[in-house]
Amino acid sequence: MELVASNKVVGGWHKRYRHASKITHCDMTFAIFLPETVNTGNKVPVLYWLSGLTCTDENFMQKAGAFKLANELGVAIVAPDTSPRGEDVADDPKGNYDFGLGAGFYVNATMPPYKAHYQMYDYITLELPKLIQAHFPVTTQQAISGHSMGGHGALIIGMRNSQKYSSISAFSPICHPMQCPWGIKAFTGYLGIDSTQWQQYDATALMLNQQFDSQVPILIDQGDADNFLDEQLQPWHLQKAAEQISYPLTLNMREGYDHSYFFISSFIDEHLRFHALHF
């Protein structure tokens, strides 16, 4: 791994690394926050944060304001990029923001030319955790969270890998991507037109079909002034599915909040405490 940047913050350290990925077949960048307790030889649990469309590892780390409480709780935070990058990595032919670079949707693409690099599901669930556990003072305890497209990723990855994650949370997640424009475009491009292949990456479908080994608790915060709420996010589908099978899901609708990191920074402490409770 190549150390790209290092900053001391609230007694701990924020560091960025670049490494050659065997799964995405390109260089990948991730950031990690290590609380100061690791300086005394302690190992800490890890919260993985998945960001949304157009984002990189930097958005959450610079805007969420999560470090102070994470340091107090003794929790590491890992923020990967949202897609593979590089000159050889295929992008949206029209250069749109909602597909291609910065928009990996945390799936394993099966359609050319995207299948060569867009294997974000395996990168997040297999390669990155092994890398983190091999090089940093962390335990095997993991939780996962994210925002928007990253909220979608956190939901599907956490539910499908319930033996690996003790809790799941999300801000403004895409809850039923098979039924919204962002999801339909991404799934068609990455996975093809057979919608039966889409279900494994749809949180509501996973919930309805009970495609998980155990019920990992889920916390969702959603702003009611979010301009993507009705067309793209649609959390009521997931909430209804959870109610049908008595799944432990909490959905908080927050009055007046939008889709931005102003919203995330307002409630990130509640999410950190939620995950710390389940470690």
Side-chain angles (χ1 to χ4, degrees), residues 144-205:
I144 192 163
S145 186
H147 172 233
S148 194
M149 176 187 72
H152 141 77
L155 290 169
I156 62 163
I157 288 172
M159 290 170 64
R160 288 179 56 183
N161 298 273
S162 56
Q163 73 282 4
K164 294 183 178 180
Y165 302 97
S166 56
S167 53
I168 304 165
S169 77
F171 289 85
S172 316
I174 304 171
C175 290
H176 201 4
M178 294 176 64
Q179 300 294 326
C180 77
W182 279 343
I184 292 170
K185 178 179 180 178
F187 288 177
T188 301
Y190 294 135
L191 305 172
I193 61 174
D194 182 4
S195 60
T196 61
Q197 300 301 313
W198 301 0
Q199 296 183 20
Q200 61 186 315
Y201 299 114
D202 185 297
T204 298

Side-chain angles (χ1 to χ4, degrees), residues 99 104 107-120 122 186-194 197-198 200-201:
F99 187 78
V107 304
N108 285 338
T110 57
M111 298 297 293
Y114 303 102
K115 67 179 182 180
H117 298 285
Y118 285 80
Q119 303 295 313
M120 289 299 293
D122 279 354
F187 288 177
T188 301
Y190 294 135
L191 305 172
I193 61 174
D194 182 4
Q197 300 301 313
W198 301 0
Q200 61 186 315
Y201 299 114

